[in-house]
């Protein structure tokens, strides 16, 4: 009888999404209700996603260009951009995945420090979740509303703390309905 294999990444992402569902359903988006940046035009009405409760799980992901994990122990900046080309505001959440090679060795959160450049100009350490060798940042606290025609630019700093690392850095954007 033929067997079917499910790619590890699909399995990991499905498990991670299901693990977040109960907490996300009970937790309001951390940044979705915040005021728009000073450069943003005032909104005439609140977007539908923030008028009530935002959906608990993303409806899709937009994969951004990936890169190889750094091989040294120096801090490396990773910057990516996502533009909302829709005619309406979007509730989104940026996420960074650190993907292990398919056959290992698997990555460990203790081997990395991932920091996000905050709006205050300081680097803030982000905790990394771990599922079958894929490390990831949490979606729930990263939720925000990106206005139509605006661009989100995220700057991260990744440092390998222990040993040489093999794998990829895969940034992406979670899109909520």
């Amino acid at each position: 009888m033929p067997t079917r294999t499910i790619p590890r990444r699909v399995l990991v992402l499905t498990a991670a999404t299901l693990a977040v569902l109960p907490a996300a359903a009970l937790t309001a988006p951390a940044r979705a209700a915040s005021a728009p940046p000073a450069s943003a035009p005032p909104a005439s009405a609140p977007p539908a996603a923030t008028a009530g409760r935002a959906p608990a799980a993303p409806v899709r992901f937009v994969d951004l260009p990936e890169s190889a994990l750094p091989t040294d122990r120096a801090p490396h900046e990773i910057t990516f951009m996502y533009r909302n080309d829709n005619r309406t505001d979007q509730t989104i959440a940026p996420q960074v995945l650190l993907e292990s090679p398919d056959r290992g060795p698997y990555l460990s959160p203790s081997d990395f420090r991932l920091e996000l450049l905050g709006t205050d100009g300081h680097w803030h350490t982000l905790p990394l979740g771990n599922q079958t060798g894929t490390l990831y940042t949490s979606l729930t606290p990263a939720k925000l509303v990106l206005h139509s025609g605006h661009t989100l630019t995220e700057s991260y700093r990744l440092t390998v703390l222990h040993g040489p690392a093999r794998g990829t850095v895969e940034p992406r954007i979670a899109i909520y309905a």
Side-chain angles (χ1 to χ4, degrees), residues 8 66-73 97-109 111-112 132-135 158-170:
R8 181 169 51 95
E66 64 183 56
S67 60
L69 279 171
T71 57
D72 59 9
R73 294 184 183 183
L97 304 175
L98 304 179
E99 185 77 27
S100 296
D102 288 337
R103 303 216 183 268
Y106 297 126
L107 303 175
S108 172
D111 292 339
F112 298 92
T132 318
T134 298
L135 308 182
L158 178 65
T159 307
V160 177
L161 301 174
H162 305 279
R166 292 187 351 210
T168 55
V169 179
E170 301 176 8

Side-chain angles (χ1 to χ4, degrees), residues 6 8 10 20 42 66 73 82 93-94 104 110-111 120 123 128 159 168 170 172:
I6 299 171
R8 181 169 51 95
V10 172
V20 172
E66 64 183 56
R73 294 184 183 183
Y82 173 75
S110 63
D111 292 339
D120 60 0
W123 292 102
L128 291 170
T159 307
T168 55
E170 301 176 8
R172 67 184 188 164

Side-chain angles (χ1 to χ4, degrees), residues 39-53:
S39 61
S44 57
T50 58
R53 286 192 337 194

Side-chain angles (χ1 to χ4, degrees), residues 8-175:
R8 181 169 51 95
R9 181 176 180 187
V10 172
L11 185 61
V12 167
L13 299 177
T14 301
T17 301
L18 292 174
V20 172
L21 280 176
L26 301 174
T27 307
R31 292 168 40 190
S34 64
S39 61
S44 57
T50 58
R53 286 192 337 194
V59 294
R60 67 185 175 94
F61 291 92
V62 175
D63 292 329
L64 301 172
E66 64 183 56
S67 60
L69 279 171
T71 57
D72 59 9
R73 294 184 183 183
H76 293 268
E77 283 194 41
I78 302 164
T79 300
F80 61 84
M81 296 184 325
Y82 173 75
R83 180 173 173 80
N84 179 4
D85 289 327
N86 292 315
R87 294 168 57 185
T88 60
D89 294 348
Q90 285 184 322
T91 299
I92 66 167
Q95 186 176 44
V96 176
L97 304 175
L98 304 179
E99 185 77 27
S100 296
D102 288 337
R103 303 216 183 268
Y106 297 126
L107 303 175
S108 172
S110 63
D111 292 339
F112 298 92
R113 182 175 51 244
L114 183 66
E115 300 166 289
L116 172 66
L117 183 60
T119 55
D120 60 0
H122 293 95
W123 292 102
H124 302 276
T125 301
L126 297 174
L128 291 170
N130 183 6
Q131 186 74 33
T132 318
T134 298
L135 308 182
Y136 56 91
T137 57
S138 179
L139 289 172
T140 304
K143 279 186 188 177
L144 57 95
V145 174
L146 186 61
H147 298 289
S148 176
H150 286 220
T151 300
L152 171 71
T153 301
E154 291 278 318
S155 294
Y156 294 86
R157 186 166 62 185
L158 178 65
T159 307
V160 177
L161 301 174
H162 305 279
R166 292 187 351 210
T168 55
V169 179
E170 301 176 8
R172 67 184 188 164
I173 302 292
I175 309 290

